[in-house]
Amino acid sequence: MSPRTITAAARLALVAAVVTIAWLATTDRPPPVLENFSDKLQHAAAFLGLGLLSDRSFPATRFGAAKILALLAFGLAIEVVQHFLPHRDASLLDIAADVAGIALYAAARPLFLTIPLLRPPASG
C-alpha cells in the first residue's frame, strides 16, 4: 500500500472517529456495550485513538502543540455541548481523561512507530 493511500485511509478513519465520538458524546441512547466500561476509560481510549489517527493523518507534521491543541479543543467542545444537553453533564474530569489519553499516545508513540503501517513515509 502506498504512503499516500495509507495517509488517505488514516484521514478517512479520523473523520469517522470524530463523527462517531461526537455522536456518542451527544446521544441519549449510547450502545449498551459501552455501559460496561468506565466513562473516563472511554474518554482516554478515544483520545489515544484520536492521537494516533491525527498523527498518521498528517505525517509531515510532528506530534506537537498543533495536533495536541486540536484534540484538546475537540474534547472541550464536547464538554461545552454536553453542558447544554438535558441528558448529559459537562465534566472537567472528562477533559482530564482526554488529556490522559493524549499523553498515553505521546508516551506510546515510539512503540506505535515500530508498526510499518503507522510509520510516516520517509522524506526525501
Side-chain angles (χ1 to χ4, degrees):
M1 197 177 295
S2 78
R4 293 180 87 188
T5 302
I6 294 169
T7 297
R11 288 178 180 173
L12 183 61
L14 177 61
V15 169
V18 166
V19 168
T20 300
I21 291 166
W23 177 78
L24 288 170
T26 57
T27 186
D28 61 347
R29 294 181 188 196
V33 70
L34 293 179
E35 293 174 4
N36 297 326
F37 296 98
S38 160
D39 177 57
K40 303 311 174 249
L41 285 177
Q42 290 177 42
H43 276 264
F47 278 81
L48 184 149
L50 289 172
L52 172 65
L53 290 171
S54 68
D55 200 19
R56 188 57 189 89
S57 292
F58 302 96
T61 309
R62 68 182 189 86
F63 190 73
K67 290 178 183 175
I68 292 168
L69 290 174
L71 293 170
L72 290 174
F74 178 59
L76 183 60
I78 287 171
E79 297 308 313
V80 168
V81 169
Q82 286 182 340
H83 174 75
F84 294 101
L85 297 176
H87 56 277
R88 292 292 187 155
D89 295 311
S91 168
L92 290 176
L93 290 177
D94 287 349
I95 294 172
D98 299 345
V99 169
I102 295 166
L104 282 171
Y105 172 71
R109 186 175 185 269
L111 294 174
F112 284 115
L113 293 179
T114 65
I115 302 168
L117 189 65
L118 300 179
R119 256 185 246 138
S123 57

